[in-house]
Amino acid sequence: MSTPRQTISTLKFKQNLWLYAMLLPVIAFYVIFKYIPMGGLIIAFKSYNFADGILGSPWVGWKNYELLFTTANTTQIIWNTFWLSLLNLAFGFPIPIVLALMINEIGRSWFKKWIQTIVYLPHFFSWVIVAGIVLTLFATDGGSINKILELFSVETRSFLYDSFSWTAIFVGAGVWKEMGFNTIIYLAALTTINPALYESSSIDGATKWRQIWHITLPGIRHTIVLLLILAMGRVMEVGFDQVYNLQNDAVSGVSEVISTYIYKMGLQQAQFSLTTAMGLFESLIAFLLVIGVNRIARKYDQGLF
């Protein structure tokens, strides 16, 4: 005999049956295109060849990882990936917060919307377009920056062929392209703050900085933590398009990262097992970082899961 609680649950399930049915295509998408392909990760522990296939290829245990971590280039590639991602996080994460706070203080709504559109627009550019803009600005011959330097009789520089300046341009281009997207998210979060809090604090004599520190930032704290956790999941994943379109042989010592390594070794040289091992390592580190950051956030009641 069913209990009243079971009866209510069954009734709710029947009432929302079509809503559950709408989830089926989404579930099917993730199962077919996300979870089933994960089975191919076993070739990281095999010597994969087309003739025997994924299941028939011979097992080699940890041999692919031994090969990866005994190659000098691999250590450099992992370090490049980590370093570039860390720089992207250090500069790319706080700037949208600051930008959102500044835009939120703009009084005129038309100017506020105009600024939002301007900063959001680069998000829709492909990295091919962004790389073209970067080359136009920083090219050694005919680049806009070097032309300006020539006007002031300053010696021109090969910005894209120097490791330090290339890294700065790489990080700057990434921040410029994506800062608008996160800024919009923070601006949406700012709308949830009760305006009465600002009015009360103004009556109490709080300055604008005090309001930002004690009202605005705590008000979007959940969004900040959420985006930080998501960003940590991409620490070991420098975008392939960004690196591939901006790198050149002169800066390969700092620009070769895991994603470009997988492309060059895996697709161009058919080292499928080796690059799958590298990809699995990258995913494992990202997973551990997300779990670690979430556990820290949970200690302050801000965890995502």
Side-chain angles (χ1 to χ4, degrees), residues 144 154 186 190 200 220 287:
S144 302
V154 178
Y186 288 125
L190 285 170
S200 302
I220 60 173
F287 175 74

Side-chain angles (χ1 to χ4, degrees), residues 72-93:
N73 287 343
T74 306
T75 308
Q76 184 63 43
I77 287 167
I78 293 172
W79 167 251
N80 290 345
T81 307
F82 180 74
W83 178 240
L84 291 177
S85 295
L86 196 64
L87 289 176
N88 278 333
L89 186 65
F91 290 96
F93 186 75

Side-chain angles (χ1 to χ4, degrees), residues 8-300:
I8 293 173
S9 298
T10 305
L11 185 61
K12 284 185 175 179
F13 178 79
K14 289 181 178 178
Q15 287 176 341
N16 298 307
L17 183 60
W18 288 108
L19 292 176
Y20 292 131
M22 292 171 66
L23 277 175
L24 291 178
V26 178
I27 294 171
F29 171 82
Y30 277 93
V31 170
I32 295 171
F33 296 106
K34 299 293 182 181
Y35 289 100
I36 292 178
M38 286 185 187
L41 290 173
I42 62 171
I43 68 172
F45 305 97
K46 289 189 166 192
S47 179
Y48 175 77
N49 60 80
F50 283 114
D52 296 324
I54 293 176
L55 298 178
S57 297
W59 292 94
V60 294
W62 297 95
K63 187 178 178 181
N64 289 320
Y65 285 99
E66 291 174 5
L67 183 60
L68 274 176
F69 293 106
T70 53
T71 305
N73 287 343
T74 306
T75 308
Q76 184 63 43
I77 287 167
I78 293 172
W79 167 251
N80 290 345
T81 307
F82 180 74
W83 178 240
L84 291 177
S85 295
L86 196 64
L87 289 176
N88 278 333
L89 186 65
F91 290 96
F93 186 75
I95 286 178
I97 300 174
V98 176
L99 194 58
L101 294 177
M102 293 171 66
I103 293 175
N104 191 52
E105 295 300 322
I106 297 175
R108 297 181 182 277
S109 60
W110 67 268
F111 186 61
K112 190 175 182 178
K113 290 179 181 177
W114 185 75
I115 293 291
Q116 288 180 39
T117 304
I118 292 296
V119 298
Y120 191 38
L121 195 61
H123 174 72
F124 297 100
F125 294 167
S126 73
W127 272 109
V128 176
I129 295 174
V130 176
I133 295 172
V134 169
L135 289 174
T136 303
L137 288 174
F138 296 100
T140 306
D141 298 324
S144 302
I145 302 297
N146 275 324
K147 282 186 176 179
I148 294 173
L149 292 178
E150 286 176 354
L151 288 176
F152 292 96
S153 301
V154 178
E155 186 181 356
T156 59
R157 291 194 58 183
S158 301
F159 293 103
L160 296 173
Y161 298 95
D162 176 76
S163 298
F164 179 80
S165 56
W166 183 89
T167 303
I169 292 169
F170 174 86
V171 175
V175 171
W176 174 74
K177 184 177 183 300
E178 298 299 339
M179 65 180 181
F181 181 78
N182 285 342
T183 299
I184 295 295
I185 295 175
Y186 288 125
L187 284 171
L190 285 170
T191 61
T192 63
I193 300 175
N194 188 352
L197 294 174
Y198 293 105
E199 295 171 6
S200 302
S201 63
S202 296
I203 294 171
D204 292 338
T207 62
K208 185 61 69 178
W209 288 110
R210 288 279 184 183
Q211 290 178 345
I212 291 174
W213 185 255
H214 293 289
I215 299 174
T216 308
L217 288 177
I220 60 173
R221 183 173 53 196
H222 296 286
T223 306
I224 293 173
V225 172
L226 170 64
L227 293 181
L228 178 62
I229 292 172
L230 295 177
M232 291 303 294
R234 297 191 295 270
V235 160
M236 293 299 289
E237 181 191 343
V238 180
F240 170 78
D241 292 341
Q242 182 181 3
V243 179
Y244 192 74
N245 283 290
L246 293 176
Q247 71 175 178
N248 57 70
D249 291 338
V251 293
S252 60
V254 296
S255 66
E256 201 68 66
V257 296
I258 291 176
S259 57
T260 55
Y261 174 82
I262 289 174
Y263 170 73
K264 292 172 182 175
M265 294 293 291
L267 294 181
Q268 294 183 342
Q269 300 186 28
Q271 298 286 335
F272 300 112
S273 294
L274 194 65
T275 51
T276 301
M278 178 65 95
L280 184 58
F281 169 76
E282 177 189 4
S283 301
L284 182 62
I285 296 298
F287 175 74
L288 293 175
L289 285 172
V290 170
I291 296 295
V293 172
N294 188 67
R295 290 194 66 174
I296 294 172
R298 285 177 63 183
K299 289 184 178 179
Y300 299 96

